[in-house]
Amino acid sequence: MNTDLEPPRVPPLTAAEHARMRNQLMDTARPAARRPARHWVAPVVGVAAVAAVVAGTLVVANRPSDDAGVAGTSTPQASPQAKVGVDLGAVPQRDVAKLITECQFPDEGGPAELVWSRHVRGISKDSTTMVAVARNTKPTTENPAKIKAGRKPGTGGAPSWAKLGYRYCMTRMPPAAKLGPVASVGRVGDEAWRTEPTPRRGLVALGGSNNDFTQDLHTLQAWAVYRALPSVATVEARYVLDGQPGPWTKGVVEGGFAYTEVQARGKFTVGEKLTTEVRAFDAQGKQIPVG
């Protein structure tokens, strides 16, 4: 037997076969540690998408419109919607005497002592408002004749729940007929005045109104005065009308007190009221519970 047989002849490889074999050899020789890099592309995108959803959930959950007064860490000091502010600074000196007069009830000895005051925007474009917290300096003795005749609001002395003599008051300038009510005064209850703001209740309401309107009934207004925690730097409010919220409006924080005010435009009826949502922030933009 002849063992010196020659191997069968192999036909030469084409250029395409050479390229295919070369690519197979290169894939085999490539280090295995580099291969997973492509496999992480999809998971990384997935994690980013989940993070965006979580962040979005947090923003929604911490909006005061959903849960007013719940502290949050991702809410800015002033929301993008709070483009309108109400603060006009201190009450002009020429108007202080008028404001003091408006802060008195009928038959009070007076004059009232202003504890806090502020000049703010008006209920109409051509008006402004002065708002204050004041105290009666000369308590009035009860008049038995008026009690028998049926004491009218604000006469015959302070009621038993407001013996400290504190009150909130406002007056509109100028006192034009188209503004509707041009001044008001209300008593601050002794319990409310003695209640101190806390980190869990940054604002203590002293009084206000949620149904002021212009004479033509085209503007409905709500406003309120509060004692404020020292850490409160910003307050914002918005109305909710027929289930629809209005824009956030920046109020006033000054001297341990705060003031919020919102206005809705439309066609209203006498006695209609505005529901108001309020939120507060510290100087770093962290939301403070308002109680």
Side-chain angles (χ1 to χ4, degrees):
M1 181 179 294
N2 185 0
T3 59
D4 296 330
L5 296 176
E6 293 182 1
R9 294 178 63 84
V10 178
L13 298 175
T14 64
E17 291 174 326
H18 272 292
R20 179 175 56 80
M21 293 183 64
R22 180 176 177 276
N23 290 337
Q24 289 178 344
L25 290 173
M26 290 295 293
D27 284 342
T28 303
R30 183 179 292 118
R34 294 183 181 179
R35 295 178 187 174
R38 293 196 306 268
H39 296 186
W40 280 103
V41 172
V44 168
V45 173
V47 169
V50 171
V53 171
V54 172
T57 302
L58 290 175
V59 171
V60 172
N62 287 327
R63 289 190 315 175
S65 56
D66 297 330
D67 193 358
V70 177
T73 58
S74 61
T75 309
Q77 180 175 348
S79 68
Q81 296 93 337
K83 298 177 181 180
V84 178
V86 305
D87 192 16
L88 298 179
V91 171
Q93 191 61 39
R94 66 180 182 274
D95 296 322
V96 170
K98 177 177 177 57
L99 181 58
I100 289 175
T101 300
E102 299 292 358
C103 286
Q104 294 177 220
F105 288 98
D107 298 337
E108 284 186 338
E113 176 188 1
L114 293 182
V115 177
W116 178 84
S117 62
R118 205 67 179 173
H119 190 204
V120 295
R121 74 171 180 176
I123 194 172
S124 63
K125 293 182 179 180
D126 57 352
S127 69
T128 62
T129 302
M130 296 181 294
V131 62
V133 175
R135 183 180 67 90
N136 184 25
T137 57
K138 296 179 181 179
T140 302
T141 304
E142 292 281 2
N143 186 328
K146 290 184 178 179
I147 294 176
K148 292 180 181 179
R151 188 173 64 186
K152 296 181 180 180
T155 64
S160 59
W161 52 269
K163 287 296 185 182
L164 293 178
Y166 288 95
R167 69 281 313 273
Y168 59 93
C169 43
M170 61 80 66
T171 183
R172 306 186 192 282
M173 301 288 290
K178 65 180 180 180
L179 298 181
V182 297
S184 63
V185 58
R187 299 190 187 278
V188 176
D190 295 345
E191 182 179 356
W193 182 258
R194 292 189 178 107
T195 301
E196 295 289 339
T198 69
R200 296 182 61 86
R201 185 184 181 185
L203 300 176
V204 176
L206 299 179
S209 173
N210 60 1
N211 62 348
D212 286 358
F213 49 85
T214 52
Q215 197 70 18
D216 60 8
L217 300 180
H218 285 170
T219 301
L220 183 59
Q221 181 189 59
W223 58 275
V225 182
Y226 307 85
R227 293 276 292 276
L229 193 70
S231 58
V232 172
T234 303
V235 292
E236 295 178 356
R238 71 177 182 181
Y239 66 81
V240 179
L241 187 63
D242 297 327
Q244 298 299 318
W248 287 106
T249 301
K250 186 176 181 181
V252 181
V253 179
E254 193 272 333
F257 293 86
Y259 171 82
T260 61
E261 184 260 315
V262 293
Q263 297 177 9
R265 305 284 191 270
K267 184 61 177 177
F268 304 101
T269 59
V270 176
E272 196 164 354
K273 300 179 180 180
L274 277 180
T275 299
T276 306
E277 296 177 341
V278 178
R279 62 184 182 184
F281 304 92
D282 64 15
Q284 288 71 46
K286 182 178 179 181
Q287 196 171 335
I288 297 175
V290 297

